[in-house]
Amino acid sequence: MEIQTVGVVGLGNMGLGMAATLARKGFRVLGYDLSETRGAPAEAAGVTFVPVLNDVLLRADALVFSLPYARDVEAVATAEGGLLTRGDRKVVVIDTSTSDPGTTRRLAARLAEAGHALLDAPVSGGPSGAAEGTLTMMVGGAEEDYALARPVLAAMSSRAPHVGPSGAGNIVKLVNNLLVAAHLVTTGEALRLSEAAGLSAEEAVAVVNTATGRSAISEVMVPRWVLSGTFDSGFAAGLMRKDVRLALELAAESGVDLPLSSHVAQIWQGSRETIPDSADFTRMADYRAGKESL
Ligand code: NAD
């Protein structure tokens, strides 16, 4: 069945850009957010802001969720009088939130019983990738549901591989963000060492980025948001803390011991006083901050 109207639930740093991209690419887009302050920027981007959640859940041909936590995804997917009551068509939910595979599998089964589908489709690429339609998405779910969602996935992303069954997208996203969390800590420490030993962070990064210590953190994030001192990537430290916690919970459930990652998690969880949840996550690589920040 053709998808003409897409409902986007969660119009924050990521969801607003995704909704704007879908509108620009010809979909009719209905947007909902708990915060009505998201209405004006949504309307300015060609998105119809709908103040009642069920009006989006009952009218859209497909849904995109961009929500902070798994509990928000669950609340929206199972909202009373919402998607679970609908029998007019199969609705595919593309959940782009970084969530946990257990909740995803449970919700996917519940929606399937009601004749719908939930794909875990977490994203990488930040608010600019969302606004430009160049995200990398990693999709878990049944092959036929992936095929159904293809036009929407293609509009939002440069790449959206189907990585496996329900929950597989969440797994690979948590693996990715565990690496990002660690790289931010180690890159910040390495640059602090460089400055303390007499070579500026700028000079060190320029060389590292042509050598073997480089990463997406040193190549993209550090020049753009750390050396510049702007710290405005649009991803909150609190959300990264959630990702690290979910990765460690997945490790415990899977029976693997990750000693270095556990220490990285302690550094993230223990740094709230100097890097509050509302601060930008790139603050973790702030080599100018004292050791006490970690
Ligand atoms: P955000 O906090 O900017 O936006 C979340 C939006 O959801 C807010 O506007 C909030 O009001 C709304 N919301 C919360 N609960 C709701 C509910 N029950 N119903 C409707 N709206 C609700 O967060 P974000 O940075 O856009 O991130 C969204 C998701 O994408 C998170 O899971 C995050 O981990 C993930 N993510 C973010 C980035 C990034 O760079 N910002 C990158 C990749 C993945």
Side-chain angles (χ1 to χ4, degrees):
M1 269 201 272
E2 208 191 337
I3 295 172
Q4 290 175 337
T5 303
V6 181
V8 180
V9 181
L11 299 169
N13 286 329
M14 297 298 286
L16 180 63
M18 291 180 203
T21 295
L22 291 168
R24 203 173 60 245
K25 299 209 174 165
F27 290 98
R28 178 164 178 258
V29 184
L30 307 177
Y32 172 80
D33 195 290
L34 271 186
S35 166
E36 296 214 351
T37 60
R38 306 308 288 167
E43 293 277 346
V47 173
T48 303
F49 186 75
V50 180
V52 177
L53 173 63
N54 279 350
D55 287 348
V56 174
L57 299 178
L58 298 176
R59 280 158 59 197
D61 302 331
L63 290 160
V64 173
F65 292 175
S66 177
L67 295 163
Y69 299 102
R71 62 171 180 268
D72 302 313
V73 175
E74 176 146 32
V76 173
T78 63
E80 210 179 315
L83 197 50
L84 294 175
T85 65
R86 238 181 114 166
D88 59 312
R89 64 175 287 151
K90 178 173 184 173
V91 177
V92 62
V93 177
I94 300 164
D95 180 21
T96 69
S97 325
T98 304
S99 184
D100 69 277
T103 304
T104 292
R105 290 186 195 116
R106 196 160 42 75
L107 283 179
R110 190 134 177 233
L111 287 186
E113 277 170 25
H116 305 301
L118 181 132
L119 296 171
D120 43 314
V123 296
S124 177
S128 61
E132 287 157 18
T134 55
L135 291 166
T136 291
M137 305 180 80
M138 30 213 115
V139 189
E143 186 69 58
E144 64 179 87
D145 300 331
Y146 177 69
L148 189 62
R150 261 322 266 265
V152 181
L153 297 172
M156 294 195 289
S157 66
S158 298
R159 285 172 298 275
H162 182 211
V163 293
S166 183
N170 293 146
I171 293 171
V172 72
K173 175 65 181 173
L174 294 180
V175 166
N176 183 75
N177 276 24
L178 187 57
L179 286 167
V180 172
H183 285 171
L184 279 164
V185 173
T186 55
T187 307
E189 287 190 359
L191 297 184
R192 192 171 303 132
L193 168 63
S194 186
E195 293 247 321
L199 186 71
S200 77
E202 284 82 358
E203 287 170 301
V205 168
V207 176
V208 165
N209 283 341
T210 62
T212 46
R214 70 186 185 275
S215 66
I217 309 308
S218 69
E219 288 187 312
V220 181
M221 293 191 190
V222 165
R224 213 174 275 175
W225 296 302
V226 180
L227 294 179
S228 68
T230 56
F231 301 105
D232 59 354
S233 77
F235 185 42
L239 290 175
M240 185 48 124
R241 289 192 174 102
K242 166 202 63 171
D243 298 354
V244 172
R245 177 177 53 76
L246 291 179
L248 268 280
E249 284 173 8
L250 184 62
E253 281 163 29
S254 310
V256 285
D257 185 26
L258 306 178
L260 177 60
S261 301
S262 301
H263 190 58
V264 167
Q266 277 170 19
I267 289 174
W268 276 93
Q269 305 307 343
S271 56
R272 268 201 185 81
E273 282 212 350
T274 44
I275 309 176
D277 281 351
S278 57
D280 198 82
F281 85 128
T282 55
R283 286 269 174 204
M284 186 51 80
D286 186 5
Y287 57 90
R288 302 172 192 94
K291 267 203 196 128
E292 67 279 7
S293 72
L294 305 181

